[in-house]
Structures are given as structure tokens and as C-alpha cells.
Amino acid sequence: MKLKGTFSPPGDKSISHRIGLLSLLAGGQTRVGNYSTCEDCQTTLKVVESLGVRLERTGGDVVLHGLDRKLSPKNRELDCGNSGTTMRLIMGLLAGLPGEYSLDGDASLRKRPMERVAAPLRLMGARVETAGGKPPVTVAGGDLNGISYTLPVASAQLKSAILLAGVQAGGKTTVVEPIKTRDHTEYMLRLCGAKLERSHGAWTVEPARLTLPKNFWVPGDISSAAFFLCGAAMTPGGDVTAERILLNSSRTGMIEVLYRMGARVEEEIQGDVPEAWGRVRVRHSPGLKGCEVAPAEIPLLVDEVPILALLATQAEGDTVFREVGELRVKESDRLDAIITQLNAMGADISIKGDDLYIKGPTPLKAVAGLDSFGDHRIAMMLKIAGVVAGRETAVAKEESASISYPGFYQDLRALLR
Ligand code: S3P
């Protein structure tokens, strides 16, 4: 079995969430092309609609009429579904607005840490309550003061929540980021007219009135593209090209690791609006070598660790991902899922402390009883593992792929030869 052909993944999930959420803070209207069709981003649209945003869908575009911070809530109980990004970012956003809101989600979201977001928002003056650090969360916002805050975890969601509160505060807010994480919120706040400055790993935002850009286009999601790109590297005859995908350097850690392992990668940046985007081709890459992935690289590929771990099972020697403890609190315990499911297929993966070790190469065999634990990225990784094993594998709750990539199975069928 091999993967061959060209595909375009859905619009980037992180960027889609952000343009959707910014319609609450900013005035004006925006026509968004290629807004992600994934379930998580549709959750964000439902939430902003329930807070008063008028939304039209025309010819595949989404038109959002910004509220300029004047919410008219139809509902104060907001269902964030499976989406951590929706919940964490909206916590920051609501912290600067009057009224009390309660935020909840599905069983997976209810297990995820929210105290990390609540703590800085309280320092800014909002009242935020969590249920033992987890959802449901209550936010009662209003006048905020600016703060200077050093992130205790390398999380773009946490950084974004503070910046979205900070742009509404009475003074400057500085977020110190010991390890660089994705910077879409910064790009997009600037695009909407905010003043943001970066110096020595710290972002400072000034209070500002925001306006949506008239037109906005979302490049394809590199985190979705990763499954087929890595899949092509592992399968004889593989040759896959992802078109019009996001290539912002805070998201391309996976491509760097592919190069380091000796994969045959060609990358072409074709534009830089709203952020760098272009084409990536990966061909079957015999002789892949294991490598070390340093802590500072993890946020640049955090969602790609499952598929890169699979890739490492096919590489010669040891691969280690350093300090990946955050993967325990994603949509599932991804470290446990990677180890149990891939080892059941014949891999040799272990964890020491927060470091993930993979010894390769190990042939993989298709086995019965694989489980995604309802986690979209584990489901897609295991389907690609099936391709590597040479047989279609059934994976429990594989429909969860639509959380980030609704067309995954269609694209898989089209690329599979
Ligand atoms: C995201 C940031 C990452 C990532 C998630 C999306 C974002 O989470 O795993 O899928 O859009 O900011 P953390 O920032 O919590 O690591």
C-alpha cells in the first residue's frame, strides 16, 4: 500500500478559531475564505453566534459581522464541545467584558487543565472559577488591569488568552514566553489594529479598539497535512504533495524533523498573507535515521508528535522527543495512546520521565482492537499506521478525525494506491 497524489487539507484550525473569536472583540465585517470545516471550528462559530455575531455562509466563505465588544448573548452557557482552543481563548476574551458566562464541554474537555488560564486572568481582575482546575468554568469579566506574566507552560492557548484579555485592559500587558509557541494571535491582533511588540521572548500588547480585515483567507492546516506527508515518507512508492498549506515557522517543526531524519522533502513558500503558506512534497524516504527533538522544538510540532512517533518506528536507531509531558493533557493522554497502540502493532516505544523514546526500525503488523480513545490525531495516526502495516486497520472511534479533518477518510481513499 502506498500514498500518492496531491491534496488540500482544510483551513488551519488555529487560525480559523482566532478569526472567529476576534469577531467578538473587533468591529467591521470580514469575509473569510477557507474557514476550517472541522467540528472544533464549527463549535467556535456556534459560540460566537450565540453571543450575537451575525454570520452568513456564501459560496464556501464565512462572513462575520464583528461585535466590537458589544455582545448580545442569546445564551450565557457556552458549549465548547471537544475544543480546548475555543474554551481557553474565550476565557481571556470574556474576562474583559461585563456579564457572567459559564463554559463547558464534552467528557474529554472536562478532563483538561483550565486553572493555568484562570490564574493570570484573576491577576488582571476577572472573577474566574473552575471545577477543581477543570471545566465547567465561570468567567465574570469587566475592567482589567494590565499584567506582566511569565508562562509556566509553553502553551499558545494560554498566551493567547492573556493577550486577548490584555488588548482590553487598562494598561499594557506583557507575556513572557520562555519557549516560543505558535504566534497566530499576535499576527491577527496586529491585523485588526492592535499594537504588539516583541522583545527577548516577551510580547507586549497595548489596549486597542479592533477592526476586522475586510477579507481574510485561511491557509490549509499543516497539522492535518502531516498525516499524509509523513505517511508518504514511510511507504515504498509514496509521493504526496500538500497544496496551499500554512508554513509559518512556529508550525513547521514537523518539516524540520523530516529533514533531520533524512526524508525526501521539497518545500516551496508561495505567499505570506496572512502568514507564510505554500506547497510541500514528501516522497518515500528509505534509510530514515532516528533523531533527537529538543524541548524548544516541541511547541512547533506539538500536534504532530503522534504521527512523528509513528515515523520514528520506521527510522534506524533511537528517536527521542524531550519534555513532551503536555501530551498527557491533550484530547486524550496521547503519550499513553502512542505507546499502547503502536507497541500493540509491534513498535518499541517507551517513556522515561517526560521524554518519549522510540527504537526503530520495527515492522508494524495490523492488529485488531486498536483504539483512538476518541482523539482525532490518534485516530488518523493509527489509520496511517495501518497503511504502513499494509492492511486497512479498524480503529475504535475513528470518526473522531472530523474534529480537525472532516475529509480525512475521503482524502485517504483518494491517495491510497
Ligand atoms: C493550539 C495550541 C496548542 C495545540 C492546539 C492548538 C492553538 O495547544 O496543541 O491543538 O491554536 O493555540 P497548547 O497551546 O495548549 O499547547
Side-chain angles (χ1 to χ4, degrees):
M1 281 174 129
K2 66 179 171 224
L3 294 162
K4 207 169 166 49
T6 297
F7 71 109
S8 301
D12 186 68
K13 185 156 93 70
S14 292
I15 294 181
S16 298
H17 278 303
R18 284 160 173 78
I19 191 74
L21 291 167
L22 277 166
S23 68
L24 297 171
L25 287 191
Q29 79 176 56
T30 185
R31 185 184 187 100
V32 184
N34 205 34
Y35 185 93
S36 175
T37 49
C38 78
E39 276 178 33
D40 269 6
C41 292
Q42 300 307 310
T43 295
T44 284
L45 289 185
K46 274 188 217 138
V47 167
V48 300
E49 261 192 308
S50 76
L51 293 172
V53 170
R54 191 154 67 79
L55 189 155
E56 296 154 64
R57 294 174 196 267
T58 48
D61 293 348
V62 174
V63 178
L64 298 163
H65 296 262
L67 290 183
D68 198 10
R69 301 183 66 214
K70 294 177 213 57
L71 309 193
S72 54
K74 298 183 192 105
N75 192 351
R76 288 179 180 272
E77 289 176 7
L78 308 175
D79 182 0
C80 300
N82 190 248
S83 177
T85 313
T86 309
M87 183 171 286
R88 294 193 176 124
L89 268 56
I90 209 162
M91 283 171 72
L93 216 142
L94 293 174
L97 296 168
E100 182 173 315
Y101 294 87
S102 85
L103 315 174
D104 206 350
D106 68 7
S108 150
L109 190 55
R110 276 188 163 203
K111 290 191 194 141
R112 302 184 63 188
M114 295 297 150
E115 194 52 37
R116 57 175 67 173
V117 185
L121 298 178
R122 280 189 207 115
L123 291 176
M124 297 178 85
R127 186 163 64 73
V128 186
E129 282 158 28
T130 64
K134 297 179 179 160
V137 173
T138 306
V139 183
D143 292 341
L144 300 179
N145 50 274
I147 54 167
S148 180
Y149 196 77
T150 301
L151 299 183
V153 267
S155 162
Q157 295 182 352
L158 172 56
K159 171 179 63 174
S160 299
I162 302 169
L163 292 174
L164 290 169
V167 74
Q168 305 177 75
K172 289 185 183 183
T173 292
T174 298
V175 183
V176 183
E177 191 177 41
I179 296 185
K180 186 176 163 55
T181 65
R182 66 190 68 188
D183 52 13
H184 310 303
T185 303
E186 295 86 315
Y187 264 102
M188 292 171 74
L189 278 172
R190 274 194 179 140
L191 192 65
C192 293
K195 200 163 158 228
L196 258 104
E197 269 165 31
R198 183 174 173 83
S199 80
H200 309 297
W203 283 101
T204 298
V205 64
E206 289 183 24
R209 193 104 186 252
L210 305 177
T211 309
L212 292 168
K214 275 200 167 51
N215 291 293
F216 189 80
W217 173 71
V218 184
D221 196 329
I222 182 172
S223 299
S224 296
F227 296 98
F228 297 125
L229 293 175
C230 292
M234 286 180 269
T235 46
D239 186 353
V240 155
T241 300
E243 294 283 6
R244 298 169 76 80
I245 62 167
L246 180 71
L247 292 174
N248 169 328
S249 62
S250 68
R251 294 286 299 283
T252 51
M254 176 259 314
I255 295 177
E256 299 309 316
V257 170
L258 277 169
Y259 279 125
R260 203 178 309 154
M261 286 181 149
R264 294 199 291 166
V265 186
E266 291 160 46
E267 182 190 6
E268 186 192 344
I269 295 193
Q270 296 170 299
D272 59 3
V273 179
E275 298 179 19
W277 61 272
R279 171 187 297 141
V280 178
R281 176 183 185 196
V282 179
R283 281 178 286 165
H284 175 230
S285 310
L288 289 171
K289 296 265 178 292
C291 71
E292 173 149 347
V293 184
E297 294 179 272
I298 300 302
L300 316 181
L301 48 73
V302 64
D303 292 333
E304 288 69 74
V305 173
I307 190 67
L308 287 172
L310 170 62
L311 184 72
T313 68
Q314 303 307 299
E316 177 84 41
D318 289 351
T319 295
V320 52
F321 293 89
R322 299 270 178 218
E323 291 179 26
V324 284
E326 267 298 291
L327 267 75
R328 293 200 174 92
V329 290
K330 294 292 181 189
E331 286 82 329
S332 69
D333 178 341
R334 286 189 179 155
L335 294 181
D336 182 66
I338 290 168
I339 295 170
T340 57
Q341 304 308 293
L342 288 180
N343 283 358
M345 296 181 77
D348 182 354
I349 311 183
S350 56
I351 183 109
K352 289 190 195 95
D354 281 342
D355 298 343
L356 187 68
Y357 288 83
I358 298 130
K359 274 190 194 310
T362 47
L364 297 182
K365 54 184 185 302
V367 292
L370 292 175
D371 197 345
S372 70
F373 305 99
D375 181 328
H376 53 127
R377 300 205 198 273
I378 299 298
M380 291 185 276
M381 179 274 281
L382 290 174
K383 294 308 277 193
I384 301 296
V387 175
V388 177
R391 197 143 59 86
E392 177 78 19
T393 43
V395 176
K397 299 199 181 129
E398 62 184 43
E399 65 285 357
S400 60
S402 59
I403 286 290
S404 58
Y405 194 168
F408 176 77
Y409 292 102
Q410 209 178 328
D411 287 351
L412 177 61
R413 275 193 299 277
L415 294 171
L416 207 52
R417 309 285 155 95

